[in-house]
Amino acid sequence: MVSIFALLALPALAFEVRTDELGQEVRWRRHTIRYRVNPEGDHGLSVAAVDTLIAAATREWTDPVSGKLAFANSGKTAIRTARHDDDANAIYFEDDWKEDPGLLAVTYLWSTTDGEIVGFDMALNSEHHDWAIDGSPEANDLLNTLSHEFGHALGIEHSPVVEMATMYPSSPLGEVKKRDLHTDDIHAVEHLYARTANGATALHSATIHGSPALLALLLSHGADPNAASKSG
């Protein structure tokens, strides 16, 4: 199953979570989610900045459920394509973008038939969009987008009503408000992970869906935010 996620936030229970074809909410069951980074690409940012901001985005989501969930950087990779069988959970910039050019980033999510997320890949659009780390009004803020996409990696979908939410489905140039989680986003991650057993990974015989869920963030230049929310 593949999903595309974007940015937004509402009062209580405005959030939405990913469900599979059987209506099951999908979530990770392992405590530590490992990822690898390919910092190459036509984006003009330093490797150190990319690594630092990825780590900062993961902490936004794990801090509200401290002890129940963690991300860990497993090092660098040369991967620049989305696939589950590499077991990499790769985060990379894509100079030859194959999705809608209006999308800033796409998160591909794989889950099993019993609702367990078992992998993700995150692609950042470096062909059609400029990136910055300082909130420049002429570029897209990397941490702003990463924070949104990591919500998708955890199984959280767009929050299309609360404009202050990290999971709101669109983002204008220079926006930085999605760097920090809104109450709605916190409710979403708590809903999925606050009651998860520490470090527990369920043993099962479920199979992985053939296609991943595709989740993305849309650059809002007068575009319809709903265009960034689609499932495959």
Side-chain angles (χ1 to χ4, degrees):
M1 171 171 48
V2 178
S3 306
I4 299 186
F5 297 104
L7 310 179
L8 179 66
L10 265 186
L13 303 181
F15 66 84
E16 296 180 11
V17 298
R18 181 76 187 171
T19 57
D20 62 17
E21 292 90 339
L22 300 176
Q24 304 172 108
E25 295 181 350
V26 300
R27 70 194 76 197
W28 293 87
R29 295 180 188 169
R30 69 185 69 169
H31 172 268
T32 302
I33 304 166
R34 299 190 175 277
Y35 63 86
R36 293 185 178 272
V37 180
N38 184 344
E40 301 299 320
D42 185 19
H43 51 75
L45 306 177
S46 71
V47 173
V50 171
D51 283 342
T52 297
L53 295 180
I54 289 173
T58 66
R59 288 193 298 271
E60 278 298 307
W61 289 102
T62 58
D63 282 355
V65 289
S66 179
K68 304 293 179 65
L69 182 69
F71 282 93
N73 187 339
S74 293
K76 298 296 184 287
T77 180
I79 292 171
R80 297 185 78 176
T81 187
R83 54 188 299 170
H84 175 259
D85 56 7
D86 56 28
D87 196 31
N89 296 331
I91 302 167
Y92 57 92
F93 292 87
E94 192 170 318
D95 297 337
D96 183 19
W97 190 253
K98 298 174 179 60
E99 304 292 346
D100 183 336
L103 297 176
L104 296 175
V106 168
T107 296
Y108 302 85
L109 201 66
W110 286 268
S111 63
T112 64
T113 52
D114 68 350
E116 179 182 4
I117 299 174
V118 292
F120 79 92
D121 286 321
M122 187 183 298
L124 297 150
N125 184 351
S126 51
E127 178 179 6
H128 302 103
H129 301 289
D130 295 326
W131 295 94
I133 63 174
D134 58 358
S136 167
E138 303 301 322
N140 300 286
D141 186 78
L142 182 61
L143 180 54
N144 195 71
T145 296
L146 287 169
S147 295
H148 178 87
E149 293 304 316
F150 270 106
H152 287 318
L154 291 174
I156 302 169
E157 297 218 350
H158 292 153
S159 181
V161 182
V162 181
E163 293 188 16
M164 294 302 294
T166 294
M167 296 312 295
Y168 191 72
S170 64
S171 176
L173 288 171
E175 183 188 71
V176 297
K177 66 186 178 184
K178 292 179 177 65
R179 290 179 174 183
D180 303 312
L181 298 193
H182 182 275
T183 302
D184 192 65
D185 306 303
I186 293 172
H187 287 167
V189 72
E190 289 178 339
H191 171 79
L192 288 175
Y193 297 101
R195 293 182 296 279
T196 301
N198 272 343
T201 301
L203 298 177
H204 55 82
S205 59
T207 58
I208 298 171
H209 287 300
S211 300
L214 181 61
L215 310 162
L217 176 62
L218 178 70
L219 177 65
S220 60
H221 280 167
D224 178 2
N226 292 325
S229 179
K230 61 181 178 181
S231 298

